[in-house]
Amino acid sequence: MIKPGFFNSLFVIPILNILVLFYFVFEFLHIPFAFGFAIIALTTLVRLVLQPFFNQQMQTSKKMIEIKPQMDALTKKYKNDKKGLQQEQLKLYQQAGINPAAGCLFMIVQIPVFIALYQALLLFLQNTNQAKVIADVNKILYIPGIRITTFDPMFFGFNLSVAPNVAGNVFYYIIPVITAILQYLQVKVSTPQSAPAIVKAGEKTSTQEDFQKAMGTQMKYIFPVLIGWFAYTLPVGLSLYWNVFSLFSIIQYRNINKPAKK
């Protein structure tokens, strides 16, 4: 049961109402696997609403890659002058039209939406008492006319309320594998490749550069494995919405990072 509160009233309950509305419409149209398609429709809607934030974040990331050689040059020039380095970096950001706080701001905007989606889906997917789920959901609907009486969690042979690690079916193991692969592709395409730095003979790379390289490797390989593990232990319905988000991101990153036509 979702209790009234600032966060639930502002995020979770509205998202849950939209999910039920999609489910009601698909059921009314006799579309099979209505709940699975309702999750896809809800995820698509949220992704489209957040599109401007994602787009701005990616544009900022791309500009940061483009000015990296200049940033490296400033770091070497002002390595003993932190105040001077900060001033020159701010000037470079202004010239490139970059707001350093933009990326963090957009991540903050996304976090409550993701948490609300997660909680709304868990209400359906982690409660084995279907009658109680339906009663709890119907209590918080804005429109009485879309009240649900049944709930079918099946989606193309997969039970969206079951986690692969307890499903007892080897086919469910496909879900975390697909989730990990999509996450790997998302990380890969979201990191535009900058020109490799030229290191002169006898010159050592900085500790910062080594740290950034190590972090990049971890993000590229370890993070997808971690997400795959979550997909292995959480209900399949959560992987479904995560994978739809990943597909949107992969497509958008590819469109932004493709070379401009001459």
Side-chain angles (χ1 to χ4, degrees), residues 125-147:
L125 302 177
Q126 279 199 336
N127 196 323
T128 56
N129 188 335
Q130 189 177 111
K132 185 177 185 304
V133 171
I134 294 174
D136 289 343
V137 169
N138 286 337
K139 289 178 183 177
I140 56 178
L141 294 181
Y142 299 143
I143 307 173
I146 64 172
R147 289 177 180 272

Side-chain angles (χ1 to χ4, degrees), residues 20-130:
V20 173
L21 177 61
F22 279 129
Y23 180 67
F24 177 84
V25 171
F26 293 150
E27 280 281 288
F28 179 79
L29 296 175
H30 301 291
I31 295 176
F33 314 122
F35 187 70
F37 284 115
I39 293 176
I40 294 175
L42 172 63
T43 311
T44 302
L45 176 63
V46 172
R47 190 64 172 78
L48 291 175
V49 170
L50 292 177
Q51 178 72 10
F53 299 104
F54 278 88
N55 187 61
Q56 183 62 39
Q57 183 182 26
M58 288 186 293
Q59 291 290 357
T60 299
S61 177
K62 187 175 182 180
K63 288 179 181 179
M64 291 293 290
I65 294 294
E66 292 172 353
I67 67 170
K68 187 178 185 301
Q70 297 167 271
M71 292 290 289
D72 291 341
L74 289 175
T75 301
K76 291 180 180 180
K77 183 177 180 180
Y78 294 93
K79 60 181 179 180
N80 297 321
D81 183 4
K82 291 185 178 181
K83 186 175 180 180
L85 176 61
Q86 291 176 352
Q87 292 175 345
E88 292 300 318
Q89 285 178 334
L90 286 175
K91 289 181 183 179
L92 183 57
Y93 286 146
Q94 291 174 352
Q95 292 172 0
I98 296 174
N99 180 1
C104 295
L105 176 62
F106 299 137
M107 284 301 296
I108 291 173
V109 170
Q110 298 165 34
I111 288 173
V113 177
F114 288 153
I115 294 175
L117 275 168
Y118 177 79
Q119 292 186 1
L121 289 174
L122 277 186
L123 179 63
F124 277 99
L125 302 177
Q126 279 199 336
N127 196 323
T128 56
N129 188 335
Q130 189 177 111

Side-chain angles (χ1 to χ4, degrees), residues 182-234:
L182 287 176
Q183 191 60 44
Y184 169 79
L185 293 175
Q186 180 179 336
V187 173
K188 184 177 180 180
V189 300
S190 66
T191 310
Q193 297 297 316
S194 57
I198 299 175
V199 181
K200 297 180 181 179
E203 183 180 357
K204 295 182 179 180
T205 58
S206 66
T207 303
Q208 182 180 1
E209 289 173 343
D210 292 338
F211 176 76
Q212 290 176 346
K213 185 176 180 180
M215 286 298 295
T217 301
Q218 290 182 10
M219 282 293 295
K220 190 174 182 180
Y221 298 107
I222 297 178
F223 189 63
V225 173
L226 182 63
I227 296 300
W229 172 256
F230 289 150
Y232 175 70
T233 58
L234 293 174

Side-chain angles (χ1 to χ4, degrees), residues 177-187 243-244 246-247 250:
V177 172
I178 292 175
T179 303
I181 291 174
L182 287 176
Q183 191 60 44
Y184 169 79
L185 293 175
Q186 180 179 336
V187 173
N243 290 341
V244 173
S246 294
L247 284 172
I250 291 169

